[in-house]
Every structure is written in structure tokens, then in C-alpha cells.
Amino acid sequence: MAHQTIIVLDFGSQYTQLIARRLRELSVYSEVVPFNTPLATLRAKHPAGIILSGGPKSVSESGAPRCDRGIFALDVPVLGICYGMQLMTDVLGGQVRRSGHREYGHALVSVAGTAAPPRLFSEIPRELRVWASHGDDVAGVPPGFSVAATSATAPIVAMEAPDRGLYALLFHPEVAHTDHGLEILRNFAYTVCGCTGDWTIASFIEEATERIRERVGTGKVVCGLSGGVDSTVAAMLIHRAIGDRLTCIFVDNGLLRYDEANQINKRFTEKLKLPLDFVDASDLFLDRLKGVTDPEQKRKVIGGTFIDVFEKRANELGGFKFLGQGTLYPDVIESSGVHGLAVVIKSHHNVGGLPERMNFTLVEPLRDLFKDEVRRVGRDLGLEKEFVVRQPFPGPGLAVRVVGELTKDRLDMLRLADKIVVEEIRRAGWYEKVWQSFAVLLPVQSVGVMGDARTYEYTAAVRAVESLDGMTADWARLPHDLLATISSRIVNEVRGINRVVYDISSKPPSTIEWE
């Protein structure tokens, strides 16, 4: 089925995929394409609208990315965001300058005009807090444009030329930190572009199932199952499409949470009835990780070892041409950047590696979705609540939550501390309110007193964040009594830990995981 589509041109912003995510939240199908996509290709897609994303470059820099200027004459509504606004201004004859005061973080914006508000700000307060991230600003709008909003530090933070269908914002409406950001995008998609909202999770499931059948044909698929939401939903979609021609391999890497390997084995074989092959490789992983302390090196060792183990077992089972993965948008954007422009934050072991070594063809039915969308797919597929609401767990497991060198003793220490965090978060009714909640073991020892004796033991950090998609996150304001209970239990029940701290860092500038 052909859906009304808004195309997002990617100029390298970490938030590019988030723009697409917000549009899909509005039931509008979106597609991200490179900034230099030929005009003829864009025209052939018959877009309802086009959005120019933000990006890390300045339009004045040599080699700064530029789209075909014919986009602004396609007779299709165009919205420029941040770098997209600066590019639109520069191409169409306005003035872009280096900011005297670089804006990063919250800014207060005032909507211009005393009568009817600009179209993007229809039914939105005349003052709102937005999320800014730019070093350039617009000093003068192009001919035919009017100023739609201003701020104390930037004279023009929004502009429009409604008769030409051109709109631009210097801030990011797609991030949760911007007040009424979704309404601004809704105004663009529905009021400006005329979208009706014809893309739903139900339609995604049917279309994804059909795409899997077409891609796989009569072949067999092997899927690396982690037990998390992503790989579970991916496996269920693939199983829905091809039945028993799917085999799931679960590799126990020794870096899982308390009793998790046993729970996964029972859940997938007894409850979900998925064809599961269980491989215990925990000793091999820990042996290869001896002495490794650098976070990126940990990820690479874990990813490489997983590939070795998975490849060996898949070859033993034999007959697979396709590899199923639960890759999501955030995995792709943080691992290699979208189309090579975004800055690499950290590597993800589930992106790349196996297809090249084993000549697999990838089947990634969730590649265009964010986590909360995957949960909605899971609900619609009939997955039990415990799977749907399961908090994200990093691919490298507890390796990136034990800061510094990994040993079995330190992993066991963290497993118990993390178990306590999860138990108490659940008991207090916070588990589904937060995006993630977990413990981190720090390579920091401090003096304590227990039973009238001096101790010199490790420190555990508790991390709990609120987020919609993992792209941005804020630390959760957990009740003090809950934190006190968690701290007391960890210090009393986990031998080797005598101090607990709470992490109050947001993303950005921090990441959710410590490594």
C-alpha cells in the first residue's frame, strides 16, 4: 500500500531519525534519505512534504552538505530544522551568521504577530520553551519570507513563506525537551502538507510480514535472540511470516542479569513456542575479556566473540541464507551515523559483522522503528506484558555496567545489586514509568563502617531515566524513600559494596549507559 509520505533529508543530525519517529507517532509515514538525493528521485516518490534535518556543519564551511536547490521549487511544502533553516536561508538569499552567543539547551521563544499566528504555531502558546543546538543563526530572512518567532539570543528562530510552502525553525521540535514540538510537526504534516494519517502499527505489521515473505522466499532464517523486546518482536514477525523455517540461537555470554539465561530459555520454549537453540559460551566471553577496561574495546571483544560463537553454531545447524536481527533506528544512528554524516557515539555489536563473514542476507523488520513503536508492535502481536514492557538492555550486557575490568566476582556483585534495584523499582510501581533503571558497579572503593568494623569496598551507582525513545533522556525523580530502600538493601545484601550513589545526569550531555 502506498502511504502519504513526508521525506526527511538527512544532513547528519543525531536527531534525524527522531523527526521520522515523531511523524510516525502522528500516523504519517516518513522516509529518511541522504541530503544529496537527486531531485528526480525525490519527485518520483510523490512526497506530501519534505523536511531538511539539522546537522553538525555550518553552511559557510567548505564541504558543508547541500541539497539540490530545486527542492524549494518542487511545489511541495518544505520545513527546514536548525541546519535545514540555515541552508534554506543561505540558498534563497537570506543572511546566516556565526552566533554571538551559541545556543545549546533550553531557550524561550516568542511567536511573532499580534493577530493570527503563523501556520506552524496554530493553537500553540505564544511563548514556549524549546531545545536549541546551533552555532549559527539567521540575521536576515530571504526575500518573500516573514519572521514567525524570535528569542532573546537569536533574532529569527522561525520564518515562513506560506505562499511558497516554505517554513523553517532554528530549534528542534522533534525532541521531547521542546514544548509543543509534536503539535508544531502536526501543523506541518496535517495543516500544511494535507496529510490524513494513513500509517498505523497494524498496517506496519501486515506490510512487514509481506516484505519478509518476499525477501526470504523459500529460504531459512537464523535469528540471534537476546531475550529483549527488540529481538523478540523481530523473531515473532519473522516467525509469523515463514513459520518453522526460522531458528533462533541464544548465546549465553555470561554478562546477563540475575538468572536471566534460565528465564529466557523457559520463556521462549514454553510460552512463545519459538524454535530456540541454547549455547552456553560464558567462560569463553569472560576469558577473552580478561584485562580489557576500555569501553569500546569491550564492545568489540564481545561483538567479535558473539560472531565466532554464533557462526560456529549456525554452521553446525546448517542451511541458513538469511540472518534476522532486531536492529532499531537508534542502533543505526549511534553506530555509524545516518549516511555517514552523524558523529559516532558508540558501536553496537548487532550492526554488521555476521553478514560479511557468513554471506548472510539481513532481515531486519524493525530497522525503521523506535523502541516504543516496537512495544506497540509487540502488543498488537499478542506478546505478554512482561515482554512488551521490558526495559532496554545493552547488547554488551553487564560489561558496560561494570566500569573497568570484568571479573566473575564483580559481575556477580553487580547482578545482585541490579536485582535489588529492579525488585524495588517494580515494588514501588515505577518500572513502567521509567525508560531504564539499573545498577552500575564503579571501580571506586571507599571507607565504610559495618558492624563496628572498618570496610574498604566498592561503590554502586543507581541509574534511572525517563525517555520516549532513548535518543534523549532525563534522570528520574525517584522518591527519596525508594532510593533509601534500594541503598540499604544493596549495602546489607551485596557483599563487597558499602556505598550507593544516584546518577542525576541527563542525555545529552551524558549517555544513558556509563560505558
Side-chain angles (χ1 to χ4, degrees), residues 29-40:
Y29 183 73
S30 58
E31 180 179 348
V32 177
V33 301
F35 68 90
N36 56 358
T37 299
L39 193 64

Side-chain angles (χ1 to χ4, degrees), residues 150-449:
T150 63
S151 76
T153 54
I156 305 168
V157 294
M159 65 183 190
E160 65 177 13
D163 56 326
R164 298 163 63 185
L166 302 179
Y167 302 81
L169 304 167
L170 200 57
F171 58 87
H172 291 273
E174 68 274 22
V175 303
H177 299 312
T178 292
D179 293 343
H180 303 284
L182 191 62
E183 288 93 330
I184 292 172
L185 289 176
R186 179 185 288 113
N187 284 338
F188 178 71
Y190 282 76
T191 304
V192 175
C193 298
C195 294
T196 58
D198 64 357
W199 189 83
T200 64
I201 290 298
S203 67
F204 168 81
I205 291 173
E206 292 304 322
E207 291 163 18
T209 301
E210 187 55 38
R211 283 195 297 269
I212 294 167
R213 287 177 182 144
E214 290 176 1
R215 187 169 182 80
V216 173
T218 58
K220 293 170 62 179
V221 179
V222 61
C223 182
L225 201 62
S226 71
V229 176
D230 306 340
S231 64
T232 298
V233 175
M236 292 296 285
L237 274 173
I238 296 170
H239 194 252
R240 185 177 192 265
I242 65 170
D244 290 341
R245 285 185 286 125
L246 166 72
T247 297
C248 298
I249 295 177
F250 173 75
V251 177
D252 180 2
N253 58 15
L255 305 170
L256 302 174
R257 288 166 288 199
Y258 187 86
D259 196 39
E260 188 168 20
N262 181 53
Q263 292 173 16
I264 288 172
N265 199 9
K266 287 184 177 179
R267 285 171 180 167
F268 284 88
T269 55
E270 296 176 11
K271 293 183 180 179
L272 295 181
K273 308 297 183 184
L274 283 175
L276 180 67
D277 189 80
F278 189 93
V279 181
D280 183 356
S282 53
D283 290 341
L284 175 63
F285 276 84
L286 291 180
D287 183 61
R288 291 190 180 182
L289 285 164
K290 280 182 181 177
V292 178
T293 59
D294 179 74
E296 272 298 286
Q297 188 59 28
K298 282 182 184 178
R299 291 174 181 272
K300 289 174 181 176
V301 170
I302 292 165
T305 305
F306 172 81
I307 289 171
D308 291 342
V309 174
F310 191 95
E311 178 183 29
K312 181 175 182 293
R313 186 54 183 156
N315 282 333
E316 289 171 353
L317 295 173
F320 302 111
K321 180 181 177 182
F322 298 90
L323 171 67
Q325 289 192 153
T327 308
L328 307 188
Y329 259 156
D331 296 334
V332 177
I333 194 171
E334 290 194 347
S335 295
S336 59
V338 181
H339 310 299
L341 283 173
V343 177
V344 174
I345 305 299
K346 57 189 176 181
S347 62
H348 286 259
H349 77 280
N350 63 327
V351 180
L354 276 165
E356 291 82 0
R357 279 183 53 167
M358 298 186 66
N359 197 30
F360 278 137
T361 298
L362 282 176
V363 179
E364 297 174 304
L366 308 178
R367 191 178 177 87
D368 292 338
L369 300 185
F370 283 80
K371 180 73 72 172
D372 62 318
E373 293 178 306
V374 174
R375 287 178 171 144
R376 288 166 58 196
V377 172
R379 285 195 294 268
D380 282 15
L381 285 174
L383 289 176
E384 296 181 31
K385 184 177 181 180
E386 64 185 286
F387 291 101
V388 176
V389 303
R390 183 184 173 98
Q391 292 179 358
F393 187 62
L398 297 182
V400 294
R401 293 180 182 173
V402 172
V403 180
E405 185 176 2
L406 294 164
T407 65
K408 187 176 185 305
D409 287 345
R410 297 188 74 203
L411 282 165
D412 287 342
M413 206 181 301
L414 177 60
R415 262 187 271 269
L416 287 174
D418 186 73
K419 174 175 177 283
I420 290 169
V421 171
V422 173
E423 284 177 353
E424 293 302 330
I425 291 281
R426 284 187 185 276
R427 185 174 290 118
W430 275 82
Y431 188 82
E432 293 180 39
K433 296 178 183 179
V434 297
W435 175 262
Q436 277 176 274
S437 51
F438 54 89
V440 179
L441 186 67
L442 306 184
V444 176
Q445 290 176 277
S446 64
V447 174
V449 178

Side-chain angles (χ1 to χ4, degrees), residues 20-54:
R21 158 71 188 84
R22 295 290 181 247
L23 292 169
R24 290 197 297 272
E25 188 175 326
L26 295 168
S27 298
V28 175
Y29 183 73
S30 58
E31 180 179 348
V32 177
V33 301
F35 68 90
N36 56 358
T37 299
L39 193 64
T41 302
L42 295 175
R43 187 183 289 113
K45 293 178 180 293
H46 304 291
I50 295 174
I51 295 180
L52 313 181
S53 83

